[in-house]
Amino acid sequence: MISNAMYSLGAKRSCIRELFEYGIQQAKVVGKENVMDFSIGNPSIPTPDAVTDAFDQLVQSEDTIAVHGYTPAAGDFDARKAVADNLTRRARAEIRPDNIYFTCGAAPALISTIRALAVEDAEIMVIAPYFPEYRPFIEMNGCKFVAVPPDTRAFQIRFDELEKRITPHTQALIVNSPNNPSGVVYTVETLQRLAEVLTRKSKEIGHPIYIIADEPYRELVYDGADVPYLPNIYPDTMICYSYSKILSLPGERIGYVCVPDVVTDSKDLFAAIAGASRTLGHVCAPSLQQKVIARCVDVRPDLAAYDRNRMTLYNALTSYGYRCIKPDGAFYLFVEAPGGSSRAFSDRAKERNLLIVPGDDFGCPEFFRLCTCVSSDMVQKSLPVFRDLITAVQPQRQAV
Ligand code: PLP
């Protein structure tokens, strides 16, 4: 017999993957240059030279075990130290190597952290719009998925709705800023208010409500936007980080969980995360990648190409009459679908070989997401199609 739950998860691809794979097939029919694929968040800025140089040097080494051998499950000590020292410098908070657990990217970091908190009847909250994979990560690891409805005006947090959903079973809230799909960075005021609510509610229910900060886009910000270091605002925060996006390494699978000492029961929590990772078959994160990261903790690529796409699309789409918040981070634009249904709008766009992701799976069905980590040629090619699509739904726009 086969597990129905696992079968359904595997047989039904995510909406993003479905569109992405459709794009590959459609390229064979109409030509790659004629498919405008804005579906998947695959970083398009080249991996920085410092990273590829570190790879080159490491693979030349004759010390096979040092480069390719197993490391301790939490990671190579020097690599953890490099990350911890870097965080200490940047966050002005003391982080030690023992607070860092290397993982194969943010996804397993999140799953291990969720599993570590999966006591009986545990509830994990998310804020819409949210990364669609949160649902299987939470539900398939024994917890209840609780979503806070979106603030579709500013894409900050609806505190009335958040408070209503906190129960004695609430174990954690996932906070993703810069946000996928909205690109919004939560303001200091939002995070301070969140800390106030969670502190009060934790006291009320008699145990901490942890924040799981999902931060693969932390340094992907524009116009000098500030992403506050959350443990300085709310100490019960674990950080799930990934190098996938910032170093353009999504297929190489490297990230970490950081459990700062200020977190309640931090040592036990760290041990539970290690235990949860063990159940996932985690032996260690890729050894070579750990060592690359140790040499490249401060490397940042030039984000100008993402920024240009962000501004070109934002300015053009809003001038055509689309409603959309200007993103301060990540590489997405989250746009209100003319006509109300993002699924119907995405289907119409697909007929023109323009692939955009409907917002249903992000918990926000009136909006669609487009990735700005694409070529500028594709952006230019898409603009007349975006204009035609809104004009077809709202003909009065043509006169504007
Ligand atoms: N969290 C968010 C918000 C993401 O957008 C992604 C990937 O797109 C992940 C987690 C998973 O990242 P990783 O590739 O490091 O597992």
Side-chain angles (χ1 to χ4, degrees):
M1 293 221 298
I2 293 171
S3 153
N4 271 338
M6 293 303 140
Y7 171 79
S8 319
L9 263 182
K12 184 190 168 296
R13 281 164 301 169
S14 81
C15 185
I16 299 170
R17 290 262 151 198
E18 205 169 280
L19 267 175
F20 174 62
E21 284 164 32
Y22 170 84
I24 294 171
Q25 291 313 318
Q26 187 67 353
K28 290 181 191 154
V29 180
V30 298
K32 197 168 186 292
E33 66 290 356
N34 294 317
V35 178
M36 293 157 279
D37 183 357
F38 290 87
S39 66
I40 205 162
N42 232 343
S44 53
I45 284 179
T47 305
D49 288 346
V51 174
T52 47
D53 289 349
F55 271 111
D56 285 348
Q57 286 161 11
L58 283 159
V59 294
Q60 300 305 327
S61 164
E62 284 171 12
D63 191 343
T64 300
I65 291 183
V67 177
H68 301 295
Y70 292 127
T71 70
D76 173 79
F77 182 82
D78 291 342
R80 291 159 76 201
K81 182 158 172 21
V83 169
D85 290 350
N86 181 261
L87 273 174
T88 300
R89 269 198 313 279
R90 287 168 43 216
R92 292 189 202 91
E94 205 201 328
I95 300 293
R96 298 174 301 107
D98 285 356
N99 303 124
I100 304 293
Y101 194 99
F102 271 110
T103 58
C104 303
L110 287 162
I111 295 175
S112 300
T113 309
I114 291 165
R115 275 176 101 102
L117 296 170
V119 297
E120 200 179 342
D121 296 329
E123 296 177 2
I124 308 279
M125 299 180 84
V126 303
I127 301 158
Y130 47 78
F131 179 50
E133 294 301 285
Y134 291 159
R135 185 185 283 279
F137 292 176
I138 292 171
E139 291 182 343
M140 293 301 146
N141 287 292
C143 302
K144 184 171 167 195
F145 174 88
V146 179
V148 179
D151 154 20
T152 52
R153 198 189 48 81
F155 290 103
Q156 295 286 317
I157 299 175
R158 290 176 65 182
F159 286 98
D160 50 339
E161 298 291 346
L162 176 98
E163 279 210 42
K164 264 197 263 175
R165 285 167 175 78
I166 295 177
T167 78
H169 301 295
T170 306
Q171 285 279 69
L173 169 72
I174 300 181
V175 174
N176 170 223
S177 172
N179 183 264
N180 173 10
S182 72
V184 159
V185 175
Y186 292 139
T187 62
V188 178
E189 293 71 35
T190 294
L191 296 175
Q192 282 169 341
R193 190 161 166 207
L194 180 64
E196 183 276 309
V197 171
L198 294 183
T199 306
R200 179 163 43 80
K201 285 293 192 182
S202 296
K203 277 203 187 104
E204 230 171 86
I205 64 176
H207 63 81
I209 300 170
Y210 293 105
I211 285 184
I212 302 173
D214 179 23
E215 301 195 336
Y217 303 98
R218 159 165 282 278
E219 294 86 10
L220 271 164
V221 286
Y222 311 101
D223 303 333
D226 177 36
V227 183
Y229 176 69
L230 252 165
N232 287 346
I233 299 178
Y234 186 71
D236 276 330
T237 299
M238 284 87 79
I239 299 165
C240 294
Y241 185 80
S242 169
Y243 295 92
S244 293
K245 310 289 178 174
I246 189 64
L247 295 184
S248 300
L249 291 172
E252 304 298 348
R253 314 308 301 144
I254 187 76
Y256 61 80
V257 186
C258 171
V259 187
D261 288 334
V262 288
V263 170
T264 307
D265 297 327
S266 70
K267 283 206 170 69
D268 292 352
L269 203 44
F270 192 89
I273 288 167
S277 293
R278 228 175 126 185
T279 68
L280 296 173
H282 169 96
V283 177
C284 60
S287 176
L288 176 62
Q289 314 303 337
Q290 292 184 44
K291 280 135 205 171
V292 168
I293 294 307
R295 295 174 177 212
C296 298
V297 274
D298 277 320
V299 173
R300 300 286 173 264
D302 178 0
L303 300 179
Y306 293 155
D307 197 9
R308 264 196 308 277
N309 287 348
R310 170 184 79 119
M311 291 315 296
T312 304
L313 281 160
Y314 173 78
N315 287 335
L317 266 62
T318 49
S319 79
Y320 303 155
Y322 289 89
R323 194 176 81 81
C324 157
I325 190 149
K326 187 161 134 195
D328 287 324
F331 38 50
Y332 307 104
L333 223 59
F334 205 45
V335 186
E336 192 168 6
S341 159
S342 63
R343 192 164 286 277
F345 192 76
S346 165
D347 285 346
R348 277 199 300 280
K350 198 169 160 190
E351 286 166 15
R352 302 277 308 264
N353 292 318
L354 173 64
L355 308 184
I356 52 178
V357 184
D360 306 54
D361 292 350
F362 298 103
C364 203
E366 314 83 27
F367 284 70
F368 63 85
R369 184 191 81 172
L370 55 110
C371 292
T372 54
C373 47
V374 295
S375 72
S376 56
D377 283 356
M378 195 196 290
V379 169
Q380 291 304 329
K381 206 165 193 167
S382 72
L383 298 182
V385 183
F386 276 115
R387 187 196 275 264
D388 288 354
L389 286 168
I390 194 168
T391 308
V393 181
Q394 300 172 0
Q396 72 277 14
R397 292 277 173 204
Q398 210 159 21
V400 175

